[in-house]
Amino acid sequence: MHRKYSNELCPEMDGQEVRVAGWVEDVRKLGSIAFIILRDREGRLQVTAIKKEMGKERFTELITLPRESVVEIKGKLQKSAEARMGFEILPTEFKVLSKAEVPLPLGVVDKVNAELDTRLDNRFIDLRKDEVRAIFKVKSLVCAGIRNYLLGNGFVEVHTPKIVFAGAEGGATLFEVEYFGRKAFLAQSPQLYKQTLMATGLDRIFEIAPAFRAEPSDTVRHLSEFISLDVELAYINTSEDVMQVLENLVAATIEYVVKNGEKELKLLNCEVRVPKVPFRKIPHRECLEILKSMGWHGGVDIDTEGEKLLGEYIMQNYGEEFLFITEFPTELKRGTFYAMRKDENPELTGYFDLDYRGQELTSGGQREHRYEKLKTQMLENNLKLEAFEPYLKAFRYGMPPHGGFGLGVDRFVQKMLNLTNIREAVLFPRDRLRVTP
Ligand code: ATP
Ligand code: MG
């Protein structure tokens, strides 16, 4: 007999023999009868144990099981007006698959909210809560939505190495690894590889994979390991072409989540709006003016506070949640050695950030594909060209113009579901203080 999930059973199956399994969430004892709430992936079931039917010994064994023990139960389904689901299971046989220790390190049905740290220390139990699991079902839908859109638009999914010999996003956040007596690093992003692939004929690619950054400060939006969606496409004219792919991708992904994640979004009490394309674009210099008029006291770099204010600005004025900050000044992108500067005004790049609800979600733009210019920009950054030779080589034998972006998947989920901390959107988060579980 096949095991059934709770949502596969219904009162109309009255009288049928069924097999179910799950965690003992709660036991309510009323003398010679007891109600056991059994929880599985899909929901809850009521198992009604009757002493007279089961015999004293088996009855006692079942109803004294500690909470969160795992049992398998065979029994008869019986229609019942009193049971929450309209039916109950009368056990004929049961098997204790795993007995839980007492006390639990974290409650599953407790009313009091545990601290995030306690929850993360006991993540496997934390994930037994429906609303916590729902976050990861949404995350799975986000990835499915991304793949659905990109594969449908001629992109090829690739996998690039995570053990690398050169960084791309600045030395400060590199994790060093000892690699057979040599010094290697964990990849901060697939930047150099996805650009290299533009010289191959795989001219529209994407990757969904971990990226590693030794972030020096503790924030609610940075982790030392995160999932990055990286997209790169060749034969573009300007950064506009990249923004178009990005906005369509983001809108299609949110639509996919809304369509397929109705139950999860309801459980999480989240109203997710499918955005209209094209997204609003405001050049970086104009953003600075808007911010000044709002009393912001930053410099040229739009900080967290600035992003938040811009988010409020576009929400209040246009009712929108997405904003492209375009034409980043070269001054701010100098460290991004691969960013193309405008030929007509080298003080500007076509680089953009996409902000979602007042927080950076994506950075991207057109790359410098002209070998000499790229080399000059690298030297300006004091990079040792020899270390980048495998990358540079790809620019000497036919490299089409190209561009792309990196989007933080965990951050996307965080913003979509209004989670205060990015750690809530990661099963087992990694930060400065946490490498376990
Ligand atoms: P930020 O300014 O927020 O630190 P960044 O500009 O350093 O981000 P990029 O190199 O532009 O990050 O990376 C692309 C995207 O990857 C970011 O927009 C963000 O969504 C995500 N991301 C970057 N660093 C992290 C991190 N440490 N943890 C989680 N997501 C990150
Ligand atoms: Mg960025």
Side-chain angles (χ1 to χ4, degrees), residues 105-106 115-127 136 223-225 423 426-437:
L106 179 74
E115 292 282 329
L116 184 57
D117 259 327
T118 314
R119 290 178 44 202
L120 293 176
D121 283 340
N122 300 284
R123 197 54 153 164
F124 70 98
I125 296 191
D126 187 43
L127 283 156
F136 296 96
L223 289 173
S224 37
E225 177 175 340
R423 288 162 184 75
V426 178
L427 286 172
F428 302 103
R430 291 290 176 259
D431 60 33
R432 251 170 14 120
L433 302 174
R434 184 177 286 282
V435 270
T436 55

Side-chain angles (χ1 to χ4, degrees), residues 209-228:
F212 305 90
R213 294 189 193 179
E215 297 287 355
S217 52
D218 304 315
T219 76
V220 293
R221 58 202 190 103
H222 290 97
L223 289 173
S224 37
E225 177 175 340
F226 66 97
I227 299 298
S228 179

Side-chain angles (χ1 to χ4, degrees), residues 333 353 360 362-363:
K333 288 291 169 191
D353 268 8
E360 178 190 326
T362 312
S363 288

Side-chain angles (χ1 to χ4, degrees), residues 169 188-189 211-215 219 221-230 302 307 333 338 352-354 359-364 405-412 422:
E169 314 298 326
Q188 293 165 313
S189 89
F212 305 90
R213 294 189 193 179
E215 297 287 355
T219 76
R221 58 202 190 103
H222 290 97
L223 289 173
S224 37
E225 177 175 340
F226 66 97
I227 299 298
S228 179
L229 161 68
D230 280 274
I302 300 173
E307 285 176 3
K333 288 291 169 191
Y338 45 81
F352 58 81
D353 268 8
L354 176 64
Q359 195 170 93
E360 178 190 326
L361 174 67
T362 312
S363 288
F405 56 84
L407 177 153
V409 173
D410 321 276
R411 222 184 258 185
F412 194 11
I422 191 169

Side-chain angles (χ1 to χ4, degrees), residues 272-290:
V272 179
R273 289 166 47 194
V274 180
K276 283 203 184 68
V277 291
F279 294 165
R280 186 166 302 277
K281 296 185 181 108
I282 306 183
H284 190 274
R285 60 183 175 279
E286 279 177 39
C287 287
L288 291 181
E289 269 156 37
I290 292 169

Side-chain angles (χ1 to χ4, degrees), residues 182-215:
R182 278 191 291 172
K183 194 165 87 179
F185 306 101
L186 295 180
Q188 293 165 313
S189 89
Q191 186 64 33
L192 307 183
Y193 292 94
K194 59 178 180 170
Q195 285 194 260
T196 302
L197 288 173
M198 293 303 99
T200 65
L202 287 171
D203 59 12
R204 286 161 89 84
I205 58 107
F206 74 102
E207 176 167 17
I208 302 175
F212 305 90
R213 294 189 193 179
E215 297 287 355

Side-chain angles (χ1 to χ4, degrees), residues 305-322:
E305 179 59 20
E307 285 176 3
K308 206 175 124 219
L309 286 171
L310 285 172
E312 285 165 17
Y313 176 84
I314 56 153
M315 179 44 78
Q316 274 159 20
N317 288 279
Y318 311 108
E320 294 167 1
E321 300 180 312
F322 284 94

